[in-house]
Every structure is written in structure tokens, then in C-alpha cells.
């Protein structure tokens, strides 16, 4: 009776065998014999010494525009200790992101970096400001952002580092798009108030200092350790506007087995305070994305944010970890005004992530986020993301 | 009439289904496979020869390293699944339900204990293939005539007067004695079970007994040619296990006889070998080698670590016909605890494949327990 499943599966077999397997096999064998590549990893490197790395990228984040692009890195760019990295990602006119970073290693722990980022994204999410944000007013707005900076970074003991950066950022607003009502439409219908600074394009100079003290060690060492990251810096915009960001993350990780079965608990807070004039809402701290993975980035916006996260990470394959996290948090008014445990939201997620020590890699994640306890804590957000995790 | 036809048909089918087992063949059990009989292979111009000579041996199979991994990890599995392939019993068995002696395997009462009776000749080594200790070798006696091309292990090839040709391989840097010991022990086990293996032995030598032929070149894993000169030789000797008295320890593999024609495959047959008629996937000795590999933790038992050689009936012309192919297991240096440079991979060696979907979901579901 085997002929029955064989007949049924024959189209798939023919497609796999003659459209995928054999042509791909012939291609890879040819590439290998002509020494295009001696390993799978080297398929993406080229040039003398393999200094050029070109990787196609793609990402999908449910609720946001997907993107496809490339990541290019050139080692020894003009100098032995200089490295150039360029990222391009787009989904047509809905989303265009480009960045370039030139990093020069002064010596072993010290490096300088010049960075330029361009972004034109029309599907930024807005669901309100503060703890009571609700998907009932979910809307989209567009932003054009140009940002350039120069910075210095020094590696400290363990996985710690110190960084200082100064630059200029230009923010312009464009029409939102992509399914949901635009923020302009919501405002025109009186459904939401315009958030502070909306449609007021501005240019701001900024400075930023960050330090991370981290006792965790790189793989394959056990993952236990504690860490503290503090960030802060002022921004100054024309028309007597100025504000200051500050915040931090404190956490601890315990490797249960010494083989990277790691429980991690962390608490993060972020603030922005006005020094003169009003702070544009695009400068507010946000939650969502990495900070509360059950929500897309920017779901929660406020003058301050808190997030407490308990996570567990364990290896499932070579270079691949599984990770599950439970997070409590929300966005608040200035200095956590209005904070109440009943106003917290929950976020839970599980997924895979590559284990490179850098901040880029592949991520597959499914998560959910809830309303506040006060509102019943029912699920209000489903997040599914697959693809390239860009550098932060 | 219809009823009669149906009745007859049913009776015929039922009768066929009830046929008695075939009688046991009235002949001697098949103890030696005919694949050891010389056969002739069509001749063709030798593509590697400069003097336009002809070669009358099976074509060399160059195993694709990357595709072999990808195909075995993913694509071939998908194909087999979609083809609903089912495996039956092994086909190369005789009426005793045993494999006959063949170009793959030899049923001989040889055991490790037998070899222990001649402790100087491990595994497939004959006593006269053993290399002498360093204090019995004159300076410049062993001539290096070739560097060791690509591969993860450093080494070189030597010609030893009265002994023949050997490939010398260094122990991995920082892991003294491991690779050389594993090679000898692993090959001895394969040989004792019945597989064809090369003669592997551990040698202790001093640099002075080596004589380097000038102008040698080696090709690295990137396909780039480098000179194999005194500096390169020093690097090889500095990498391997160091012993007191400026001596070093290396592994010596006796050069296989005949004409190497590349690895054998674990599936299919070699199409230009008339003796190779049973799908390798249906060969019991190859299926059994999985058990042996598991026992020895021979996680690197990929096809590249096998070798077919063409043994011509005319020993003076190894490219001639008639002849026959013998199938060897080579390079067991990764048995008994071999590791690689990637720690996560080393931890999984011997327990899962390079890409193991079942293992991934097991780890996911058990939270890494």
C-alpha cells in the first residue's frame, strides 16, 4: 500500500528532488570545487582574507511592515584596525532604514565610532501615552529620522563597557499608513489628543554616556553573573527646548548547570525630564520589542517606564538558544507618577535566538501582552517575529 | 461463467499466497563475494597524466565536503521522506545470515587479543610495516617528499627505505597524544571487527632523521599554495606532542596500496565498478559500522573518512585493468573523545547530528534538561 502515499507525495518529491535538491547540489558542488567556498559560513565572505561579509537579511514582526535587506561588513577598511558596517533594510516606501558605522580600534579595549542612520518609516505604532494606552485608539504615524554621531567606547573587565557619544538628530513627521487609521485621522476625529510635539519637526543635538558593569563571561564559560547598566544624556533643540534622558538596568543571571541553562532577573527604568520647554513624544522612553517582547516596539510610551523581567535561556542547538521571558511593566507619567501595581501589564514570550556574543543575529519569537491588571489583564497583543535582529 | 472465472481467480491467488518457502539451495554457502574477482574497466585518457597515458580504473570520486553535510543533514532526508522509503533486510548476506568475505569486510578470527600476541603490530599493520624507533634511524633517512594538503591536521608524507610511504600526522595543538592514540586504537578496532583499514602506528622521531625535499608545496583549506619548507616543517613538529630529548610524537599512516579513487558513499553504488552491485545502504557491514562508530564515538565517520582503492592485477601498472576495488575505513583520529574548536558542537558530538531537528525540539520541550 506504499504506492498510495508515494503517489500523493510525488509532486512534493519531484519539486524537492528536481527543483531544489539537485540544482542546489550541483551549484554547491560547483562552488566548492571552484573554491567559491570551503564551508557554509564562507558562502557569505569574499575578498582577500575574507574581510568582506555580505549577508542578506529579512525580518517579519507581526503588526509592523516586514523588511528585507543586506548587512555588509568590511574588515580592515582603509586601515588594519578599522571596520565598516552597513545595513540596509526596506519594505518599499513603507519602511526604509539605512545605517553605516565605522569603528576604529585604537587599541585592545578602546575604539572610536562614527555612525550615520537614516530612517523613513510610516507605520510607527501609537496607542496612547501613559499607562492607560489602549488598542482602541491604535493608529500609525510616520517619521523621517536622520542621525549622526561620533562616539568612544572602552571595554571594561568582564563584559562591561563604557561609552560616550555625541551627535545630531533630525526628526520629521510624515503621514502614517498601513491598515490602521493614521494618527492624523484619529486626531481630526477627536479620538485622541495630539501627543506632545507631534508634527513639529525638530533638530536636536544630543550627548549620551553609558556604562555597563557586568560580571558575566563570554561563552563557553557559565552564564552566571550580575550586571548594571546606567545611561544618561541631555538633548538640546532650537526654540529653547532641552531635555535629559536617564535610566538603567540592573540584573542578575544564575546558570543552573554551568552549561548555559540560565535564569535571569532584571529591572529596567527609563526617564526623560524636561529641562526647558516640552519634550517631543518621540523622545519618550518606550516599551515593547526587546524590553517587553509580547508587544511590538513602541506600544507603551510615557515620560518614564519600568519593566521587571524574569527569563530563562537554554541551549537547543549549536549557536542557538531557546528563551522564554515573563515581564511586568508599563509606561508612566514623569518620575513614575501614577505607578500602581494594578496598572502593570504582563508580557510573555518564547522563542529562539542565535547565541553570538554580538548584538546581531537571528530571532524567532512568539509572545503575548496583556492589558493592565486594573482592566482585567486580558490579552491585547500578539507578537510574532522572525528574522534578523539588527544591532542596537 | 462469471462466477466460474471469479472462483478460479480466487483459487489461483490463494494458492500463490500459500506457496511453501523456497527450498534451501543445494550448494555451498556463499562465503566469499565475487567482488574480489578482477574485472576490467573501460580505458580512457588519464586527465592527470602529462604523457597522454591511459587509465583503466574507475573514475576518482571527489566527495563534496559542504554538500555532503547539507545533503545528509537535510535535503536527502526530505527526499527519502517524500519518497516514503522503507528499508528492508540487508542484501549482502549468505544462507548463514552472515556477510561473506568481500572487498568491504573480511570474516577472520582476528581479534585484539590475537594482535596482542604481537604487540608491536597494531591493527592492520604487518610486523615489517612498523617503523623503527628513533635511535635506530640514521640522520636524513626519512625523506619528506610531500606536504599534507588541506585538512584540519598538519603533517607531511615520508618515504622510508625498505618500508614504503607513510603519511605523518601531528597531534592537535594543546591535545597531546589524543589524536595519534585514537587513530591507532580506532583503526585496530575496525580491523579486528573485519573492516579494511590502513596501518596506523605511533612513532617517536627527531627532526634530524627527516630530510626535506626542496621545492615542496602544500595547498591549504582555502586552496592557496604555500611552500612546505624548513619553517613549515618546524611548525608541524612544534604543534605535535613534545617529548623529552627534543623528540616528538606523531601518527604514521601506511600509504594504501593501489590507486586511490576517492571515498565510497553510504548510499548507491559506484557506477563504474562492475563488482559494486548492492546498494551501499543495503550492505550489512556498513549498517553495522554505525553501531561500531557509536561505540567508539566515531562521530566523524562521514564518507570523506573512507577510501576506495583500485588494486590492479598488474602491480607494475596500478592504473591498468583488470583489477578490483577495495573499500577502506580511514582516519579514526576523532574516536574516543575527539573535540572541535566550537564548544557547543563538542558537547553534542556523539549524541546528535550537526543539525538535529528532533534534538532541537526535545531540548525546547524539556527546557534543556
Amino acid at each position: 500500500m506504499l504506492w498510495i502515499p508515494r503517489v500523493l507525495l510525488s509532486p512534493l518529491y519531484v519539486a524537492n528532488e528536481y527543483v531544489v535538491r539537485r540544482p542546489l547540489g550541483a551549484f554547491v558542488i560547483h562552488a566548492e570545487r571552484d573554491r567559491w567556498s570551503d564551508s557554509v559560513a564562507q558562502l557569505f565572505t569574499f575578498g582577500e582574507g575574507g574581510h568582506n561579509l555580505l549577508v542578506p537579511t529579512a525580518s517579519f514582526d507581526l503588526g509592523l511592515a516586514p523588511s528585507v535587506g543586506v548587512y555588509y561588513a568590511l574588515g580592515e577598511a582603509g586601515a588594519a584596525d578599522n571596520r565598516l558596517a552597513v545595513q540596509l533594510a526596506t519594505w518599499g516606501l513603507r519602511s526604509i532604514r539605512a545605517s553605516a558605522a565605522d569603528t576604529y580600534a585604537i587599541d585592545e579595549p578602546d575604539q572610536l565610532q562614527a555612525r550615520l542612520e537614516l530612517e523613513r518609516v510610516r507605520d510607527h505604532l501609537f496607542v496612547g501615552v501613559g499607562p492607560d494606552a489602549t488598542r482602541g485608539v491604535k493608529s500609525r504615524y510616520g517619521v523621517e529620522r536622520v542621525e549622526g554621531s561620533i562616539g568612544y567606547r572602552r571595554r571594561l573587565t568582564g563584559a562591561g563597557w563604557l561609552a560616550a557619544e555625541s551627535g545630531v538628530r533630525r526628526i520629521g513627521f510624515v503621514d502614517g499608513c498601513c491598515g490602521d487609521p493614521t494618527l492624523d485621522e484619529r486626531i481630526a476625529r477627536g479620538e485622541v489628543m495630539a501627543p506632545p510635539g507631534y508634527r513639529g519637526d525638530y533638530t536636536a543635538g544630543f550627548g549620551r554616556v553609558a556604562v555597563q558593569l557586568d560580571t558575566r563571561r563570554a561563552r563557553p564559560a557559565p552564564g552566571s553573573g550580575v550586571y548594571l547598566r546606567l545611561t544618561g544624556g541631555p538633548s538640546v533643540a532650537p526654540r529653547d527646548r532641552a531635555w535629559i534622558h536617564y535610566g538603567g538596568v540592573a540584573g542578575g543571571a544564575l546558570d543552573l548547570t554551568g552549561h548555559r541553562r540560565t535564569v535571569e532577573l532584571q529591572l529596567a527604568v527609563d526617564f526623560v525630564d524636561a529641562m526647558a520647554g516640552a519634550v517631543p513624544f518621540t523622545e519618550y522612553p518606550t516599551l515593547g520589542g526587546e524590553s517587553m517582547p509580547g508587544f511590538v516596539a513602541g506600544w507603551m510610551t510615557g515620560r518614564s517606564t519600568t519593566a521587571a523581567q524574569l527569563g530563562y535561556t537554554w541551549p537547543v542547538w549549536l549557536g542557538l538558544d531557546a528563551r522564554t521571558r515573563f515581564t511586568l511593566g508599563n509606561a508612566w507619567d514623569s518620575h513614575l507618577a501614577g505607578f500602581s501595581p494594578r496598572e502593570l501589564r504582563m508580557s510573555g514570550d518564547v522563542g529562539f535566538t542565535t547565541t553570538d556574543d554580538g548584538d546581531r543575529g537571528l530571532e524567532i519569537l512568539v509572545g503575548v501582552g496583556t492589558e493592565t491588571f486594573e482592566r482585567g489583564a486580558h490579552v491585547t497583543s500578539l507578537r510574532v517575529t522572525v528574522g534578523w535582529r539588527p544591532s542596537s | 461463467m462469471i462466477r466460474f472465472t471469479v472462483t478460479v481467480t480466487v483459487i489461483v491467488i490463494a494458492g500463490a499466497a500459500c506457496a511453501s518457502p523456497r527450498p534451501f539451495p543445494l550448494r555451498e554457502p556463499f562465503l566469499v563475494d565475487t567482488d574480489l574477482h578482477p574485472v576490467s574497466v573501460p580505458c580512457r585518457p588519464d586527465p592527470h597524466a602529462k604523457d597522454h597515458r591511459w587509465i583503466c580504473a574507475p573514475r576518482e570520486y571527489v566527495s563534496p565536503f559542504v554538500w555532503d553535510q547539507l545533503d545528509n543533514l537535510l535535503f536527502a532526508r526530505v527526499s527519502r521522506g517524500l519518497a516514503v522509503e522503507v528499508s528492508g533486510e540487508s542484501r549482502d548476506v549468505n544462507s548463514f545470515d552472515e556477510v561473506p568475505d568481500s572487498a568491504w569486510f573480511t570474516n577472520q578470527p582476528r581479534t585484539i587479543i590475537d594482535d596482542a600476541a604481537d604487540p608491536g603490530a597494531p591493527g592492520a599493520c604487518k610486523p615489517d610495516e612498523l617503523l623503527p624507533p628513533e635511535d635506530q634511524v640514521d640522520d636524513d633517512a626519512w625523506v619528506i617528499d610531500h606536504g599534507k594538503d588541506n585538512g584540519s591536521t598538519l603533517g607531511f608524507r615520508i618515504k622510508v627505505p625498505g618500508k614504503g610511504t607513510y603519511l605523518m600526522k601531528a597531534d592537535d595543538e594543546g591535545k597531546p597524544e589524543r589524536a595519534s592514540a585514537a587513530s591507532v586504537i580506532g583503526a585496530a578496532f575496525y580491523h579486528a571487527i573485519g573492516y579494511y583499514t590502513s596501518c596506523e602506528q605511533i612513532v617517536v622521531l627527531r627532526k634530524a632523521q627527516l630530510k626535506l625535499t626542496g621545492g615542496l608545496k602544500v595547498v591549504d583549506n582555502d586552496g592557496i599554495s604555500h611552500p612546505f619548507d624548513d619553517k613549515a616543517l618546524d611548525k608541524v613538529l612544534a604543534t605535535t606532542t613534545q617529548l623529552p630529548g627534543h623528540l616528538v610524537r606523531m601518527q604514521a599512516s601506511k600509504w594504501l596500496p593501489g590507486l586511490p579513487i576517492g571515498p565510497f558513499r553510504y548510499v548507491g553504488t559506484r557506477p563504474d565498478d562492475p563488482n559494486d552491485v548492492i546498494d551501499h545502504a543495503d550492505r550489512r557491514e556498513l549498517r553495522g559500522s554505525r553501531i561500531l562508530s557509536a561505540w567508539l564515538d566515531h562521530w566523524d565517520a562521514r564518507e570523506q573518512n573512507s577510501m576506495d582503492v583500485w588494486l590492479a592485477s598488474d602491480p607494475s601498472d596500478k592504473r591498468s585493468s583488470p583489477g578490483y576495488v577495495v573499500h577502506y575505513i580511514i582516519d579514526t583520529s576523532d574516536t574516543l573523545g575527539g573535540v572541535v574548536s566550537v564548544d557547543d558542537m563538542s558537547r553534542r558530538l556523539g549524541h546528535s547530528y550537526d543539525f538535529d531537528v528532533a534534538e532541537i525540539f526535545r531540548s525546547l520541550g524539556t527546557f534543556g534538561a
Side-chain angles (χ1 to χ4, degrees), chain A residues 4 118 140 234 236 247 267 305 310 332 360 374:
Chain A
I4 296 176
L118 309 171
R140 306 281 176 166
V236 179
L267 176 65
T305 60
L310 177 66
W332 318 97
R360 293 178 304 275
E374 181 72 30

Side-chain angles (χ1 to χ4, degrees), chain B residues 243-271:
Chain B
L243 299 174
H246 302 291
L247 302 177
V248 295
R249 165 177 160 146
M250 298 187 76
Q251 166 203 346
S253 299
K254 183 80 168 71
W255 205 255
L256 292 177
L259 177 69
I261 53 174
F264 61 74
R265 306 205 64 205
Y266 283 103
V267 294
T269 58
R270 186 182 278 274

Side-chain angles (χ1 to χ4, degrees), chain B residues 345-367:
Chain B
M345 188 169 183
S346 291
R347 292 177 189 277
R348 287 174 165 79
L349 293 173
H351 301 284
S352 64
Y353 296 107
D354 285 356
F355 179 73
D356 198 321
V357 174
E359 178 69 13
I360 288 172
F361 281 96
R362 189 197 66 77
S363 295
L364 180 69
T366 61
F367 292 92

